[in-house]
Amino acid sequence: MGKYGRILAVIFVVSVVAGGLEGAAATNAQSAIRNPQSLVRDYNVQPVPFNQVQVRDGFWTPRLETNRTVTIPYCFEKCEETDRISNFEKAAGLKQGKHEGIYFNDSDVYKVMEGAAYSLQVHPDTMMRLYLNKLIAIMAGAQWDDGYLYTFYSVPHKQPEMRWTNVKDRHEQYCIGHMLEAAVAHYQVTGNKAFLNIATKCANYLCQTFGPGRRTDPPGHQEIEIGLCKLYRATGEGKYLDLAKFLLDQRGRTGNRGPKGDGKLYGEYAQDHIPVIEQTQAVGHSVRAMYMYTGMADVAALTGNMEYIKAIDAIWTDVVGTKLYVTGGIGASGGNEGFSGRYELPNLTAYCETCASFANIFWNQRMFLMHGDAKYIDILERTLYNAALSGISMQGDRFFYPNPLESTGGNERSPWFGCACCPSNVARFIPSVPGYAYARKGDDLYVNLFLGGEAEIRTISNKVTLKQQTEYPWQGDVKITVEPEKSGTFAIHVRIPGWARREPMPSDLYKFANDMAQPPSAVNSESVSLKVNGQPITPDIEKGFARIERQWQKGDTIELSLPMPARRIVARAEVKADRGRVALQRGPIVFCFEGLDNDGNVARLVIPDNTEIKAEHRPDLLNGVTVLTGKAQVAKRTTEGGIVAAGTRSFTAIPYYAWAHRDRTAMTVWAARELQAARPEPAQ
Amino acid sequence: MGKYGRILAVIFVVSVVAGGLEGAAATNAQSAIRNPQSLVRDYNVQPVPFNQVQVRDGFWTPRLETNRTVTIPYCFEKCEETDRISNFEKAAGLKQGKHEGIYFNDSDVYKVMEGAAYSLQVHPDTMMRLYLNKLIAIMAGAQWDDGYLYTFYSVPHKQPEMRWTNVKDRHEQYCIGHMLEAAVAHYQVTGNKAFLNIATKCANYLCQTFGPGRRTDPPGHQEIEIGLCKLYRATGEGKYLDLAKFLLDQRGRTGNRGPKGDGKLYGEYAQDHIPVIEQTQAVGHSVRAMYMYTGMADVAALTGNMEYIKAIDAIWTDVVGTKLYVTGGIGASGGNEGFSGRYELPNLTAYCETCASFANIFWNQRMFLMHGDAKYIDILERTLYNAALSGISMQGDRFFYPNPLESTGGNERSPWFGCACCPSNVARFIPSVPGYAYARKGDDLYVNLFLGGEAEIRTISNKVTLKQQTEYPWQGDVKITVEPEKSGTFAIHVRIPGWARREPMPSDLYKFANDMAQPPSAVNSESVSLKVNGQPITPDIEKGFARIERQWQKGDTIELSLPMPARRIVARAEVKADRGRVALQRGPIVFCFEGLDNDGNVARLVIPDNTEIKAEHRPDLLNGVTVLTGKAQVAKRTTEGGIVAAGTRSFTAIPYYAWAHRDRTAMTVWAARELQAARPEPAQ
């Protein structure tokens, strides 16, 4: 146990002590499968790990299955083809040759391994398990005697003099962080310690190398902090948590030195411009930023550090209020793979890296676990169904790296990338999705996401099975059957999504502009209803959750009805790119217009505020999607350069995540709402 | 090209030159997927490789699927658990530690890899393919710089002084032989040369070590000869064939010396008592013997060596006439894991090793390819459906090593064995089964086995698809649809099984004693019929085949009807163990009596010659089997020690291969036919 395990620090949320003392605890869906140690402190709210959630869902089951049968094997194969794995074989002395590919390529192998471990938890696959064993054996051979493991400095021969000579750019700790995450997952799923032993040996070496009185320079790319927190949870070794906090605290401080370090700051790009506890705005490379905020949340939960929480609360407000796309994507700029200024949210050049979306979900889940507020799940859900899912093809073997909100028609998902962070993140992210659905706190339960299936949840004094039946995200009816092992009084917090409460976002960055032209039926039904055992109830809404506290019996039911009218979204005026424009949303799904469905030209479409928008489910289209249709004006440029309406045509909008699956075609999320915002072709 | 590729030697079967010149040729089902070289000489008849045969068959499809999804992954897992694979990892320097298990354990890993390669050919499985890649990478690391690869002398460190110090017992070449087979299969299936490169490097080293003027002592356990012939076919390198023949020719010659060799003969156990061309009887360890005869057949086919052919023809006559169980099993004795004397075929102690059955099939296929005679397929089929299939549970993860023909009730298939040759042979044998079904010679085709599905067969001047529809082995009707790419005159040889011609065996070791008590309907219908396009035909029977030569058009059909009465088999009087006893056969299936179906006691059953025997298909029993039922006498021992009939009871016989699937129960293939042959319990 390190010092954080022993100190009773400031209680930062009401029941942290009770929450922490209740036993084994975990950060997110992926951990907490088996915890060998009861930690003294962790998140107040505990997730229900994905492996305790059985998914039987029209939307998610096919995606989980595709990830298992296509994406994971495919990514391993690509890691083989691109020599990512042969770098380890060379480092292990199995073959000769130079290092191939980018210096941080080790990380991709670890990430796919992490995904494979999750997949094994819910679906045994002997060949996948044995393949992991072989990779681990090779990695054991590639590890140096002192614990160091990084192929770039190991091939064609060990170069000890090169280690840590460029922690700003060479990503040694980034790779090791992913190794720690993968090793913890592998151990928790299989009970086999082979990978965990490699990880602890490497982490021990890190602890000897970095820390007070040793090397003090922080890594250029955050990630090790998350890995160290997971390793701390898995082993109970406090020094790993100590090192995670140390490396965070070193950011933004001049004078850090390694053998060749110059003590200069790395700057905003790497969130190293000021100390982390002084940061209030999201800046720089968005994946680094998100991994840092996630790591800060973990360290805060595990230590009770209020300064961290204050900082990431402020940053969250900044992101959600000024830097978040309507799809949940973040990172407007390709130049720095990261954040631009406030309200700078261009659509055609939107970067919205797939990894950043996943990282945004990691972070928001932790923010929820810390604060118990549904607003974080609102962001998580928006990102999940839109910006994140867009990154992976329905077939499971094509990937987007950036996910722009507008295209002139050249976009196509790629089989792989030289920098393959996104595909490997897909492999590990998808199987973890069921882990975001539920949470618990003491004896109380949270229903965060709506997906069919059931979860078995052990609370302090009971074991409760929750069964969901739903056609979400296409229909808003959710039936939850409650089956406590023994009857008891506890609260079930059912999330009432922000979009159902007419708040697209827990900020004023976007708003629904919806009451303009809904069909009467939609307007009339547009109120959330809840029933328990068939009887309407009107529970208090606390932090975005309907809190239903009663004595629960086996077979009790909760029926949630979330009306799903098609809704218009408009951005606040400061977002120049969206001025005069409208986006469509229904339930959690944000829509887009593809040229294929709209006469080849989406830039000239104008969706007037008074146009009726209809929803129609098309089971045969794009594996089954609900589309939105209506009448648009067609803008035309006059010979004088003005824009006029040249008639009307039907429009069809499809879910944004499903774009670019049929052809290379123009696409936009934001359509013109006014003639002057349209961009028709020049007059002939 | 070695010398055998260039020399035009004695023509040993009528059309060997034509057959040989026609191009790429293969020994058995597993090879010949892609042949980089056209060899000058090979078998006269060419097999149709298993990967050109699509199986859609009620009997075989589930077995192929179980092998792919259960047996192969299971065997790899066992190879991991038992350190067979970690021996390679240690040899490759990935981990420390001593060699675990038996010195020849490498061979099991290679054999499962060979099976996995075959499986990949017909059913892509990315994780299995990638797992093979990792094993191969580790094996490359375990291979010595000079090409040697054998973990027993490589762990915990290389022991060059120990190599080849005991070629009689240490099975280095046996292991390498299996490696060559696996590597050729992997290359032919994947096109990836990684494993083939290891194999050729190792084989080149072998060629430098053994041969005229070098080491001259033959290996104690044959197998390398088969592997070298396959490698010769895959690469066209004649030196591999030269070495195979050299090692065969060195057997039975005194004065062979290695560094510690004493020049003595290994004796009959290892078929090293006299030179191979002088051998006329099957002796010693049955797997060694069968692998040797198989290797001799390959070398004879590839070189035209008539002396080899004469020897194995004589040995075959000896086996089939005096040493073959009615199940097709060979190797009566557990003491030497091999052959006993002529007619020594005890049932309770019958060894009938599963590997020996597979090897018997390997050998008989080659004898067929050499001579074009269906009598070899008769033996192959008998062994396949009875002694061989008995070795593997229907669930695919339990195995028999010996397959006795009688049990007092203690037999149960095992999860694994210290010496795991049988499970690993199952893994590679099962996927090759479809490769035994068809063959071709010039423009003519052979239909050897009856299983549903289709084969696409390229002949010299045509491409012909044969489609089979059949419920074999439960029903004897077989419909073959002929679809030549272009109409043409050629012969289709349809095998008329010996059992359908009232010859259970191409020898007088067993005979049908059947005309005694068949139901009239069975007797009346007991003649084979053939139709082409619905019209009865009476083609010549040549070497056991109905030879149907005509101009074949697309859509022509052949209908073969093989009556399947239940038949009694009796052994010739010299077989003491079967005196006064009878076995039951229907179609190719040999039956047995299990206590479970027969009041717990099969030793007291007496099946009189005049009892009517009925066949009944039971879809729900043992994955669907036809059983035989009738009335048996129950023998009872008198207090004076005599045996009397104490009434009758119904008996049920199940297919022998399906025994020991429900409970540990007494079993016998040979039931008493006369009271005095019964063995009732002593009188109480």
Side-chain angles (χ1 to χ4, degrees):
Chain A
M1 274 287 182
K3 62 182 176 182
Y4 298 111
R6 288 189 296 267
I7 295 173
L8 264 187
V10 180
I11 298 171
F12 65 93
V13 276
V14 179
S15 56
V16 67
V17 175
L21 286 175
E22 76 187 61
T27 330
N28 72 350
Q30 298 92 309
S31 35
I33 295 164
R34 294 182 203 144
N35 260 317
Q37 303 270 345
S38 291
L39 305 181
V40 172
R41 180 183 295 110
D42 207 332
Y43 284 107
N44 186 26
V45 181
Q46 298 299 317
V48 174
F50 70 95
N51 62 312
Q52 290 168 27
V53 182
Q54 307 297 320
V55 177
R56 287 185 298 277
D57 185 86
F59 190 85
W60 286 107
T61 295
R63 284 171 170 77
L64 292 166
E65 191 64 6
T66 297
N67 191 72
R68 180 180 76 79
T69 59
V70 179
T71 308
I72 291 173
Y74 177 86
C75 285
F76 276 132
E77 172 128 57
K78 284 290 175 185
C79 285
E80 298 254 0
E81 279 177 16
T82 57
D83 285 317
R84 279 168 168 80
I85 288 172
S86 77
N87 285 335
F88 284 98
E89 292 167 7
K90 291 169 190 168
L94 297 181
K95 58 172 72 166
Q96 303 297 313
K98 64 186 181 57
H99 185 279
E100 298 286 348
I102 308 174
Y103 46 91
F104 54 76
N105 275 0
D106 292 0
S107 63
D108 297 316
V109 182
Y110 298 135
K111 284 155 72 184
V112 185
M113 292 174 80
E114 186 185 347
Y118 300 154
S119 177
L120 288 177
Q121 177 68 37
V122 289
H123 194 107
D125 177 329
T126 304
M127 294 316 306
M128 190 181 283
R129 182 161 44 78
L130 297 183
Y131 178 72
L132 289 181
N133 286 356
K134 291 310 91 190
L135 290 184
I136 292 163
I138 290 166
M139 287 167 178
Q143 187 169 34
W144 298 20
D145 288 343
D146 62 11
Y148 183 76
L149 178 49
Y150 179 64
T151 67
F152 187 69
Y153 289 144
S154 304
V155 176
H157 53 78
K158 291 187 176 66
Q159 300 156 69
E161 74 288 358
M162 291 301 294
R163 297 194 288 183
W164 315 119
T165 51
N166 187 352
V167 297
K168 171 168 170 278
D169 299 318
R170 278 291 178 262
H171 293 4
E172 285 152 291
Q173 289 123 318
Y174 169 82
C175 290
I176 292 169
H178 278 301
M179 191 250 284
L180 303 188
E181 286 202 77
V184 169
H186 183 261
Y187 166 66
Q188 289 171 325
V189 168
T190 66
N192 176 337
K193 285 199 167 183
F195 202 8
L196 191 70
N197 288 342
I198 295 173
T200 52
K201 186 174 173 185
C202 189
N204 292 343
Y205 162 75
L206 267 192
C207 290
Q208 290 158 14
T209 308
F210 290 86
R214 297 184 283 277
R215 289 284 296 259
T216 63
D217 40 346
H221 195 315
Q222 303 89 329
E223 156 63 25
I224 185 69
E225 304 83 0
I226 297 172
L228 285 166
C229 288
K230 286 192 174 180
L231 190 64
Y232 163 63
R233 285 196 185 86
T235 64
E237 275 291 342
K239 66 182 176 183
Y240 304 138
L241 175 60
D242 295 347
L243 181 60
K245 184 167 187 303
F246 178 80
L247 292 175
L248 287 167
D249 287 340
Q250 291 309 107
R251 304 193 89 79
R253 300 184 193 279
T254 54
N256 284 319
R257 291 195 186 275
K260 293 185 186 174
D262 60 4
K264 290 183 186 165
L265 295 178
Y266 307 155
E268 287 195 348
Y269 175 71
Q271 298 81 36
D272 187 51
H273 51 305
I274 52 174
V276 295
I277 56 172
E278 295 171 23
Q279 297 188 24
T280 57
Q281 294 184 10
V283 294
H285 186 277
S286 56
V287 175
R288 298 182 193 219
M290 290 290 137
Y291 284 4
M292 183 174 91
Y293 309 150
T294 302
M296 287 172 70
D298 281 351
V299 171
L302 292 165
T303 63
N305 186 307
M306 287 300 291
E307 291 178 311
Y308 278 15
I309 297 170
K310 188 175 151 221
I312 54 179
D313 280 352
I315 294 167
W316 187 87
T317 302
D318 177 57
V319 170
V320 170
T322 71
K323 293 169 184 169
L324 189 71
Y325 281 96
V326 71
T327 57
I330 53 171
S333 164
N336 64 345
E337 296 199 319
F339 291 102
S340 290
R342 292 161 61 86
Y343 306 118
E344 283 182 33
L345 295 163
N347 292 309
L348 187 67
T349 60
Y351 202 63
C352 290
E353 185 183 332
T354 301
C355 286
S357 291
F358 296 151
N360 196 19
I361 290 170
F362 299 156
W363 181 37
N364 274 284
Q365 191 211 19
R366 284 160 168 91
M367 295 299 281
F368 159 73
L369 297 174
M370 187 171 285
H371 295 299
D373 195 314
K375 68 182 181 182
Y376 304 105
I377 305 297
D378 283 353
I379 301 299
L380 186 158
E381 184 185 61
R382 177 174 293 276
T383 308
L384 175 62
Y385 281 99
N386 302 293
L389 273 192
S390 165
I392 170 80
S393 75
M394 295 176 191
Q395 292 71 34
D397 58 359
R398 293 292 183 274
F399 310 91
F400 272 142
Y401 196 116
N403 294 272
L405 279 75
E406 183 179 352
S407 165
T408 55
N411 296 69
E412 189 176 41
R413 289 177 183 81
S414 297
W416 197 246
F417 307 97
C419 169
C421 52
C422 297
S424 55
N425 246 340
V426 165
R428 72 180 187 135
F429 172 75
I430 294 289
S432 75
V433 167
Y436 300 115
Y438 300 95
R440 66 185 172 83
K441 176 178 154 186
D443 269 336
D444 295 347
L445 306 178
Y446 289 85
V447 179
N448 286 338
L449 297 183
F450 307 113
L451 64 163
E454 63 185 78
E456 194 179 278
I457 307 170
R458 185 164 290 285
T459 61
I460 290 182
S461 58
N462 209 340
K463 189 166 77 177
V464 185
T465 298
L466 294 182
K467 295 182 180 172
Q468 276 196 57
Q469 291 171 274
T470 182
E471 301 295 317
Y472 203 83
W474 309 124
Q475 297 296 331
D477 293 329
V478 181
K479 181 176 179 184
I480 302 166
T481 306
V482 185
E483 300 198 340
E485 198 171 65
K486 53 181 192 274
S487 301
T489 299
F490 53 90
I492 299 179
H493 298 79
V494 179
R495 176 171 154 261
I496 308 300
W499 59 259
R501 289 178 283 112
R502 307 193 189 204
E503 296 169 13
M505 200 78 87
S507 74
D508 59 358
L509 184 55
Y510 303 100
K511 67 176 180 186
F512 285 129
N514 225 45
D515 298 331
M516 296 175 286
Q518 282 307 304
S521 61
V523 174
N524 289 345
S525 67
E526 213 179 325
S527 62
V528 175
S529 79
L530 265 169
K531 294 178 186 169
V532 169
N533 295 334
Q535 300 301 312
I537 59 166
T538 52
D540 291 340
I541 304 294
E542 292 182 8
K543 293 185 173 181
F545 290 98
R547 184 174 191 280
I548 313 174
E549 181 163 15
R550 65 194 297 279
Q551 169 136 350
W552 292 101
Q553 314 276 353
K554 207 165 195 164
D556 283 345
T557 59
I558 302 171
E559 287 164 275
L560 170 66
S561 181
L562 303 168
M564 282 197 176
R567 278 176 158 158
R568 289 173 168 80
I569 294 185
V570 294
R572 56 184 291 160
E574 289 87 342
V575 185
K576 283 185 198 163
D578 301 338
R579 279 188 198 161
R581 299 188 160 269
V582 63
L584 303 183
Q585 179 173 347
R586 180 177 179 274
I589 300 289
V590 173
F591 286 73
C592 71
F593 304 84
E594 276 200 310
L596 198 71
D597 304 309
N598 295 287
D599 203 19
N601 189 326
V602 297
R604 67 183 175 185
L605 288 182
V606 181
I607 316 286
D609 286 352
N610 60 355
T611 292
E612 183 175 339
I613 300 171
K614 289 182 181 163
E616 179 192 344
H617 195 67
R618 298 218 186 136
D620 299 331
L621 181 67
L622 293 160
N623 289 354
V625 293
T626 295
V627 300
L628 301 182
T629 59
K631 288 281 178 196
Q633 289 178 347
V634 178
K636 182 180 169 188
R637 197 172 292 277
T638 63
T639 47
E640 295 75 31
I643 297 176
V644 296
T648 62
R649 56 158 286 134
S650 299
F651 71 82
T652 297
I654 64 165
Y656 170 72
Y657 75 74
W659 79 288
H661 270 93
R662 296 171 292 176
D663 201 356
R664 294 183 179 214
T665 176
M667 181 277 292
T668 192
V669 168
W670 291 96
R673 179 188 185 192
E674 306 158 356
L675 267 181
Q676 291 313 309
R679 289 193 296 267
E681 288 145 19
Q684 297 296 310
Chain B
M1 275 290 179
K3 61 181 175 179
Y4 297 110
R6 288 189 299 265
I7 294 172
L8 265 187
V10 179
I11 297 170
F12 67 91
V13 275
V14 180
S15 57
V16 66
V17 174
L21 288 175
E22 78 188 60
T27 331
N28 73 351
Q30 297 92 308
S31 34
I33 295 164
R34 291 181 206 146
N35 261 319
Q37 303 271 347
S38 290
L39 304 181
V40 172
R41 180 182 294 110
D42 207 330
Y43 285 108
N44 187 26
V45 181
Q46 298 299 318
V48 174
F50 72 94
N51 64 310
Q52 290 167 25
V53 182
Q54 307 298 319
V55 177
R56 286 186 299 276
D57 184 86
F59 189 85
W60 286 108
T61 296
R63 285 172 169 79
L64 292 167
E65 191 63 8
T66 298
N67 190 72
R68 180 179 77 80
T69 59
V70 179
T71 309
I72 291 173
Y74 178 85
C75 286
F76 276 132
E77 173 129 57
K78 284 290 174 185
C79 285
E80 299 251 359
E81 279 176 19
T82 58
D83 285 316
R84 280 169 167 78
I85 289 171
S86 77
N87 285 335
F88 284 99
E89 292 167 7
K90 291 169 189 167
L94 297 181
K95 58 172 70 166
Q96 303 296 315
K98 65 183 178 59
H99 185 278
E100 298 287 347
I102 309 176
Y103 46 90
F104 54 77
N105 275 0
D106 292 0
S107 63
D108 297 316
V109 183
Y110 298 135
K111 284 155 70 185
V112 186
M113 292 174 80
E114 187 185 344
Y118 299 155
S119 175
L120 289 179
Q121 178 68 37
V122 288
H123 194 106
D125 177 330
T126 303
M127 293 317 305
M128 189 180 285
R129 182 160 45 81
L130 297 183
Y131 179 72
L132 289 181
N133 285 356
K134 290 311 91 188
L135 291 185
I136 292 164
I138 290 165
M139 287 167 178
Q143 185 167 35
W144 297 19
D145 288 343
D146 62 11
Y148 182 78
L149 177 49
Y150 178 66
T151 67
F152 186 69
Y153 289 144
S154 306
V155 175
H157 52 77
K158 291 187 176 67
Q159 301 156 67
E161 73 289 357
M162 292 301 294
R163 297 195 289 184
W164 315 119
T165 51
N166 187 353
V167 297
K168 169 168 171 278
D169 298 318
R170 278 291 177 264
H171 294 3
E172 284 150 292
Q173 288 124 317
Y174 170 83
C175 290
I176 292 169
H178 278 300
M179 190 250 283
L180 303 188
E181 287 202 77
V184 169
H186 184 262
Y187 166 64
Q188 289 172 326
V189 169
T190 65
N192 177 336
K193 285 199 168 181
F195 203 6
L196 190 70
N197 289 341
I198 295 172
T200 52
K201 186 176 173 183
C202 189
N204 292 343
Y205 163 74
L206 268 192
C207 290
Q208 290 158 14
T209 308
F210 290 87
R214 298 184 284 276
R215 288 285 296 261
T216 62
D217 40 344
H221 196 315
Q222 303 89 328
E223 158 61 26
I224 184 70
E225 304 83 359
I226 298 172
L228 286 166
C229 287
K230 286 191 175 180
L231 191 62
Y232 163 62
R233 284 196 186 85
T235 64
E237 275 290 344
K239 65 182 177 185
Y240 304 138
L241 176 59
D242 296 345
L243 181 60
K245 184 167 187 302
F246 177 81
L247 293 175
L248 288 168
D249 287 340
Q250 290 310 107
R251 302 194 90 78
R253 300 183 194 279
T254 53
N256 283 319
R257 294 200 182 276
K260 293 186 187 174
D262 59 5
K264 289 185 187 164
L265 295 177
Y266 307 155
E268 286 195 350
Y269 175 72
Q271 300 80 37
D272 186 50
H273 50 306
I274 51 175
V276 295
I277 57 172
E278 295 171 22
Q279 297 190 24
T280 56
Q281 294 184 10
V283 293
H285 186 278
S286 57
V287 175
R288 297 181 195 219
M290 289 289 137
Y291 283 4
M292 184 174 89
Y293 310 149
T294 302
M296 287 172 69
D298 280 352
V299 171
L302 293 166
T303 63
N305 186 307
M306 287 299 292
E307 292 178 310
Y308 278 16
I309 297 171
K310 190 178 148 217
I312 53 180
D313 281 353
I315 294 167
W316 188 85
T317 301
D318 177 57
V319 171
V320 170
T322 72
K323 294 169 184 169
L324 189 72
Y325 281 96
V326 71
T327 56
I330 53 170
S333 164
N336 65 346
E337 294 200 317
F339 291 102
S340 289
R342 292 160 61 88
Y343 307 118
E344 283 183 32
L345 295 163
N347 292 309
L348 188 65
T349 61
Y351 202 62
C352 293
E353 183 184 334
T354 301
C355 286
S357 293
F358 296 152
N360 196 20
I361 290 171
F362 299 156
W363 181 38
N364 274 284
Q365 193 211 19
R366 283 159 169 92
M367 295 300 279
F368 160 73
L369 296 176
M370 187 172 288
H371 295 301
D373 196 314
K375 68 184 182 182
Y376 303 106
I377 306 297
D378 282 353
I379 302 298
L380 185 157
E381 184 186 61
R382 178 173 294 274
T383 310
L384 175 62
Y385 281 99
N386 302 293
L389 272 192
S390 165
I392 171 80
S393 75
M394 294 175 193
Q395 292 71 36
D397 58 358
R398 293 293 183 272
F399 310 91
F400 272 142
Y401 196 116
N403 294 272
L405 280 73
E406 183 179 353
S407 166
T408 55
N411 296 69
E412 189 175 42
R413 290 178 183 80
S414 297
W416 196 247
F417 306 98
C419 169
C421 52
C422 296
S424 55
N425 247 341
V426 166
R428 71 180 189 137
F429 173 75
I430 295 288
S432 76
V433 168
Y436 299 116
Y438 301 94
R440 66 183 171 84
K441 175 178 154 188
D443 269 336
D444 295 347
L445 306 177
Y446 289 84
V447 179
N448 286 338
L449 298 181
F450 306 113
L451 64 163
E454 64 185 76
E456 193 179 277
I457 307 170
R458 186 165 290 284
T459 62
I460 290 182
S461 58
N462 209 339
K463 190 166 77 177
V464 185
T465 298
L466 295 182
K467 294 183 180 171
Q468 277 196 57
Q469 290 171 274
T470 182
E471 300 295 319
Y472 203 84
W474 310 123
Q475 297 296 332
D477 295 327
V478 181
K479 181 176 179 184
I480 302 166
T481 305
V482 186
E483 299 197 341
E485 199 171 63
K486 52 180 192 275
S487 301
T489 300
F490 53 90
I492 299 179
H493 298 79
V494 178
R495 176 171 154 262
I496 309 299
W499 59 259
R501 290 178 284 112
R502 307 193 186 203
E503 295 169 15
M505 199 79 85
S507 73
D508 59 358
L509 184 55
Y510 303 100
K511 66 176 181 186
F512 285 129
N514 224 44
D515 298 332
M516 297 174 286
Q518 282 306 305
S521 60
V523 174
N524 288 345
S525 66
E526 210 178 326
S527 60
V528 176
S529 78
L530 265 170
K531 294 178 187 171
V532 168
N533 296 334
Q535 300 300 314
I537 58 165
T538 53
D540 292 340
I541 304 294
E542 292 183 9
K543 293 185 173 181
F545 289 97
R547 184 175 192 279
I548 314 174
E549 181 164 15
R550 63 193 298 278
Q551 169 138 348
W552 293 101
Q553 314 277 353
K554 207 164 195 165
D556 284 344
T557 59
I558 301 171
E559 286 163 276
L560 170 67
S561 181
L562 302 168
M564 282 194 175
R567 281 178 155 157
R568 290 172 165 80
I569 294 184
V570 293
R572 56 184 290 162
E574 288 88 341
V575 185
K576 285 185 198 162
D578 301 339
R579 278 188 199 160
R581 300 189 159 267
V582 62
L584 303 182
Q585 179 173 346
R586 179 176 179 276
I589 300 288
V590 173
F591 286 75
C592 71
F593 305 84
E594 278 200 307
L596 199 70
D597 304 309
N598 295 288
D599 204 19
N601 188 326
V602 297
R604 67 182 176 187
L605 288 184
V606 181
I607 316 286
D609 286 353
N610 60 356
T611 292
E612 183 174 341
I613 300 170
K614 289 181 182 165
E616 179 192 344
H617 196 69
R618 297 215 187 138
D620 298 333
L621 181 67
L622 292 161
N623 288 354
V625 292
T626 295
V627 301
L628 301 182
T629 60
K631 288 282 181 196
Q633 291 180 347
V634 178
K636 182 181 170 188
R637 198 172 293 274
T638 63
T639 46
E640 293 77 29
I643 297 176
V644 296
T648 61
R649 58 158 285 133
S650 299
F651 72 82
T652 297
I654 63 165
Y656 169 74
Y657 74 75
W659 79 289
H661 270 92
R662 295 170 294 175
D663 201 357
R664 294 182 180 215
T665 176
M667 181 278 293
T668 192
V669 169
W670 291 96
R673 180 188 182 192
E674 305 157 356
L675 266 180
Q676 291 313 311
R679 291 193 294 268
E681 288 146 18
Q684 298 294 313

